[in-house]
Amino acid sequence: MRKLPHVTLLFWILKTLAVTLGETAGDLFGITLKIGYVVTAAIFMVFFLVVVVAQIKAKRFHPALFWAVVLGTSMVGTEISDFLDRGPGSGSAANGVGYGWGAIILTSLLVITFVVWWRTGQTFDVEKITSRKGEILYWIAILISNTLGTASGDWLAHGTGLGFRGAFFVIAGIMLAIVAAHYLTNINAMVLFWLAFVLTRPLGAAGGDSLIKPVAEGGLGWGALGGSVALFALLAVLVVYQTYRVRRQPLEPLPYPVSRLTGLPQRPNGAVITHTPDRGGGHRVHTADSRTAQMSRRSEQGVPLRNMSVRHEALFVRPQVRGRPRSDEV
């Protein structure tokens, strides 16, 4: 089952909204509601662990669940970054390592994650991750990249004296340069993807500050509660829209996961269907869901899938020449 969405304009809009909401939610819980730093961090960590475990165990792509995990990485990443940079107090390096060293440490962790990712034989194409191990590495990289985005955004806004508005325009300019590089150069697409993924975090943080900060400080004065409610409402509307699109137009099946290094099969991270030859020379589809079988048959016959009302996006397809499918493939 395809469990990760295509990287489209909607993906980037949702990602920016999710990380911006993560920023304003942190201020809402920690400052406005006066829950405190430690309790806020604990609440966010529990939320993240619950949704990421549910996402990894899911058999297909659920937009609401996927973006809940991204939101969780943003909220947890903010708390990790603040603790690393500032310690339990406030101000860069008051009891922490400071913005600069925080960014260096997190960058090193992200590089280590990518090295492990490469050496385990997983694909770097984030649209084609089909193994359980690959998805786990994907979420680790997202958590670290959102944490790094927070640290780099804090350094840019406070360490350089640009402020959140100046940092917003600098990051927006870099993002435009990345878009231009994607279309005009031969730079690896995955390198550009992760650069953009890291930068959307401070972009969202700067945008969140613009919403919730008082007018006297250059913001719109919505406050943490008003800004969080508005962002959540917009995010929810777009997630519902994506869910509708997924049901109306399922994406194409993905090949069964194999190691990039050895070619050996790997544990899939979602539902699997199996094709076996029947006596008439055709193929029989084995699946746990009749809707899944209908989608697969129509796909093989060249019938458009956009009008089918199905509850999932796509399936792994594993061919099997002889015999009945194993129970773990259904």
Side-chain angles (χ1 to χ4, degrees):
M1 180 65 215
R2 180 187 291 274
K3 291 176 59 180
L4 307 177
H6 281 313
V7 180
T8 62
L9 178 60
L10 179 61
F11 174 92
W12 290 115
I13 293 174
L14 284 165
K15 200 276 181 178
T16 304
L17 285 173
V19 297
T20 306
L21 177 58
E23 176 74 14
T24 60
D27 289 344
L28 175 63
F29 278 75
I31 300 175
T32 304
L33 299 181
K34 298 180 180 180
I35 292 178
Y37 171 80
V38 176
V39 176
T40 298
I43 292 173
F44 288 172
M45 179 61 72
V46 170
F47 172 78
F48 167 69
L49 291 176
V50 169
V51 293
V52 76
V53 169
Q55 164 67 24
I56 291 173
K57 289 185 175 182
K59 297 300 183 182
R60 55 185 61 91
F61 173 56
H62 300 283
L65 182 57
F66 177 88
W67 292 110
V69 181
V70 175
L71 174 61
T73 63
S74 174
M75 295 189 298
V76 171
T78 298
E79 303 306 314
I80 294 175
S81 176
D82 288 347
F83 184 81
L84 181 65
D85 296 344
R86 307 169 187 172
S90 60
S92 179
N95 295 287
V97 299
Y99 297 130
W101 277 108
I104 292 173
I105 292 171
L106 291 166
T107 300
S108 301
L109 289 175
L110 188 59
V111 170
I112 292 172
T113 301
F114 287 141
V115 170
V116 173
W117 193 330
W118 176 263
R119 291 184 63 85
T120 55
Q122 311 303 312
T123 176
F124 273 131
D125 189 339
V126 295
E127 293 185 344
K128 296 181 179 179
I129 294 174
T130 56
S131 70
R132 174 65 61 87
K133 185 180 295 184
E135 185 179 2
I136 291 173
L137 288 168
Y138 174 82
W139 288 118
I140 292 174
I142 284 182
L143 175 60
I144 297 175
S145 65
N146 276 335
T147 308
L148 173 59
T150 302
S152 58
D154 287 342
W155 172 79
L156 193 60
H158 305 294
T160 65
L162 286 174
F164 66 85
R165 179 170 294 183
F168 176 85
F169 287 114
V170 169
I171 297 167
I174 297 174
M175 291 289 290
L176 290 175
I178 291 174
V179 172
H182 175 71
Y183 288 104
L184 301 177
T185 72
N186 294 323
I187 298 176
N188 184 276
M190 288 303 100
V191 172
L192 295 176
F193 170 85
W194 286 107
L195 285 174
F197 205 96
V198 169
L199 289 174
T200 51
R201 180 63 186 85
L203 183 71
D209 286 339
S210 298
L211 290 177
I212 67 177
K213 294 297 183 182
V215 176
E217 297 181 18
L220 296 179
W222 290 12
L225 178 59
S228 296
V229 170
L231 289 166
F232 178 81
L234 183 55
L235 181 65
V237 168
L238 291 178
V239 168
V240 169
Y241 169 73
Q242 187 178 47
T243 302
Y244 170 79
R245 287 287 303 274
V246 166
R247 292 186 176 187
R248 294 289 295 174
Q249 190 174 0
L251 300 184
E252 72 285 353
L254 291 171
Y256 195 86
V258 296
S259 171
R260 177 182 50 79
L261 300 177
T262 65
L264 296 175
Q266 297 182 318
R267 181 182 180 182
N269 65 338
V272 180
I273 61 173
T274 304
H275 290 186
T276 57
D278 58 26
R279 294 181 180 180
H283 286 80
R284 182 179 304 163
V285 178
H286 299 271
T287 178
D289 191 308
S290 60
R291 290 174 178 267
T292 294
Q294 183 186 9
M295 183 187 74
S296 181
R297 287 195 299 269
R298 295 192 65 177
S299 177
E300 290 178 338
Q301 295 167 1
V303 179
L305 299 176
R306 65 177 63 91
N307 295 324
M308 293 186 62
S309 178
V310 296
R311 296 178 180 270
H312 28 269
E313 185 177 356
L315 298 167
F316 297 129
V317 176
R318 180 173 186 173
Q320 182 170 333
V321 177
R322 295 175 182 270
R324 295 186 301 174
R326 299 199 310 266
S327 59
D328 64 346
E329 294 175 350
V330 176

